[in-house]
Amino acid sequence: MGLTDWIGFIGVFQILLAYFLNVIGKISNKSLVFILLNLVGATMACFASILLKYWPFIILEGVWALVSLYSLIEKIRASRI
């Protein structure tokens, strides 16, 4: 496996870990850990997809990262109120 594969693998693992931890009730989908695992994971998977020039996953992971970033910004805003 090359560097691009490892970047993608680690990114996807983080997304799946967030999902698994949420399903088994260890973290909430509104928790900072869940949001950050998704944000970092999707960003890494998107970056790997860019390196591979694979557009379907660039779009999927890019949107996933943007939604996660939006969730992070909303969480930060809510904590300041």
Side-chain angles (χ1 to χ4, degrees):
M1 277 188 5
L3 181 60
T4 301
D5 297 316
W6 279 106
I7 293 168
F9 174 77
I10 293 167
V12 168
F13 176 77
Q14 289 180 70
I15 294 168
L16 292 174
L17 178 62
Y19 178 71
F20 176 74
L21 292 173
N22 178 252
V23 167
I24 66 170
K26 296 294 182 185
I27 61 174
S28 162
N29 64 346
K30 299 199 183 315
S31 73
L32 184 59
V33 171
F34 181 84
I35 294 168
L36 288 176
L37 280 170
N38 275 288
L39 177 59
V40 174
T43 301
M44 290 177 72
C46 183
F47 180 64
S49 298
I50 289 168
L51 295 175
L52 295 170
K53 298 179 178 137
Y54 191 63
W55 279 100
F57 279 96
I58 293 171
I59 294 167
L60 173 69
E61 300 301 344
V63 170
W64 197 302
L66 290 174
V67 169
S68 299
L69 180 61
Y70 175 80
S71 296
L72 178 62
I73 291 168
E74 288 298 309
K75 184 159 188 68
I76 292 168
R77 282 185 184 157
S79 69
R80 289 185 180 172
I81 294 175

